[in-house]
Amino acid sequence: MQTSDAAEPAGEAAASSPYSGFRLGKSLVVAIDGPSGSGKSSVSREVARRLRAAYLDTGAMYRAVTLHCIATGIDLEDRVAVEAAARSIELFISTSPDRESVTISGDDVTAAIREPEVSSAVSAVATTMGARAELIRRQRALIAGAGHRIVAEGRDITTVVAPDAEVRILLTASEEARLRRRGDQLGGTQSEAQLKQQVTERDAKDSTVVDFQQAADGVVTLDSSDLDFEQTVAAVLGIVRTVAH
Ligand code: DC
């Protein structure tokens, strides 16, 4: 079973955003893919707020299945068991950009899924095709549940989950910028080697099943290496305006 709250009205910033009424009443799916540390999550969340759209962090769903396997003693190398876990997990993920919340069977795991132990193990779930198929199915249901006004981000949203999205963006950044951002995000608690393991090596593993390094046909590439947060949000909104008219 899986539920999600509908996009709640965002805060005042969104109410006054020039984009809050953009394409109201029409489908507006903004699909954003990119590697770890590209700034996808924070940028996508803010873009959703400004558009008064829902927000879906699909990586959080892979992380939740991983945590569930670790916590219940499911062997992450056992593909059949991992797929079964993905199917049976009672997973809730908020699609409000103003409320980050993930629960498993009612237990709040919002913080736990960000622990390094989960980050190091999550590729095992991401590379289990049966688990992917189940999570993709749930992600499509969440997009439909949000009335197709949503910013959805991950690794295969532009190509597999929502290839017919009105807007499709590949958000990239240099390796140096990505390592720095992920390090800042984790509050400087990780060594350089740990960061490399969580960013570069994880991306290399995940790339074996989904291509998020090269933009597919019709996908706009946005390189954020030299952009700050606000500039990246503005660039994404600029692409939304240009592409979805
Ligand atoms: O974005 P993130 O670091 O929270 O993603 C966690 C993992 O999930 C990452 O190893 C890649 C995988 N993932 C995926 O394979 N497909 C997605 N759509 C989203 C994430």
Side-chain angles (χ1 to χ4, degrees), residues 38-214:
S38 58
K40 269 188 330 283
S41 299
S42 44
V43 167
S44 300
R45 188 183 292 278
E46 183 58 22
V47 167
R49 282 197 188 105
R50 306 244 182 124
L51 290 170
R52 286 207 144 208
Y55 163 68
L56 179 62
D57 172 359
T58 60
M61 299 173 73
Y62 287 89
R63 287 172 177 273
V65 174
T66 307
L67 177 66
H68 175 65
C69 291
I70 295 171
T72 58
I74 292 169
D75 177 4
L76 283 160
E77 299 303 314
D78 182 344
R79 309 253 155 198
V80 174
V82 170
E83 177 179 343
R87 285 180 192 277
S88 64
I89 188 173
E90 200 178 311
L91 173 64
F92 165 89
I93 179 161
S94 164
T95 55
S96 162
D98 292 322
R99 194 167 71 90
E100 191 178 350
S101 175
V102 181
T103 68
I104 300 172
S105 301
D107 290 332
D108 185 356
V109 295
T110 315
I113 61 168
R114 306 288 162 196
E115 291 292 329
E117 191 189 355
V118 174
S119 301
S120 312
V122 66
S123 293
V125 174
T127 55
T128 299
M129 299 318 282
R132 292 198 76 82
E134 170 60 18
L135 292 184
I136 290 165
R137 186 191 67 72
R138 293 189 190 216
Q139 289 155 14
R140 288 182 178 146
L142 286 162
I143 291 170
H148 293 94
R149 188 174 182 89
I150 190 166
V151 180
E153 54 101 346
R155 304 291 192 287
D156 60 347
I157 314 303
T158 62
T159 51
V160 180
V161 177
D164 52 357
E166 281 71 26
V167 184
R168 295 186 298 152
I169 296 172
L170 181 69
L171 187 61
T172 62
S174 66
E175 185 177 357
E176 187 204 338
R178 294 189 292 113
L179 287 170
R180 183 169 23 83
R181 283 177 195 162
R182 192 42 67 98
D184 291 348
Q185 220 176 45
L186 295 170
T189 55
Q190 305 290 295
S191 68
E192 205 172 308
Q194 281 172 314
L195 281 176
K196 277 216 164 191
Q197 202 237 337
Q198 288 173 32
V199 175
T200 319
E201 290 172 30
R202 183 151 64 92
D203 281 346
K205 275 190 214 155
D206 296 338
S207 298
T208 59
V209 288
V210 272
D211 185 5
F212 51 85
Q213 316 271 14
Q214 301 285 324

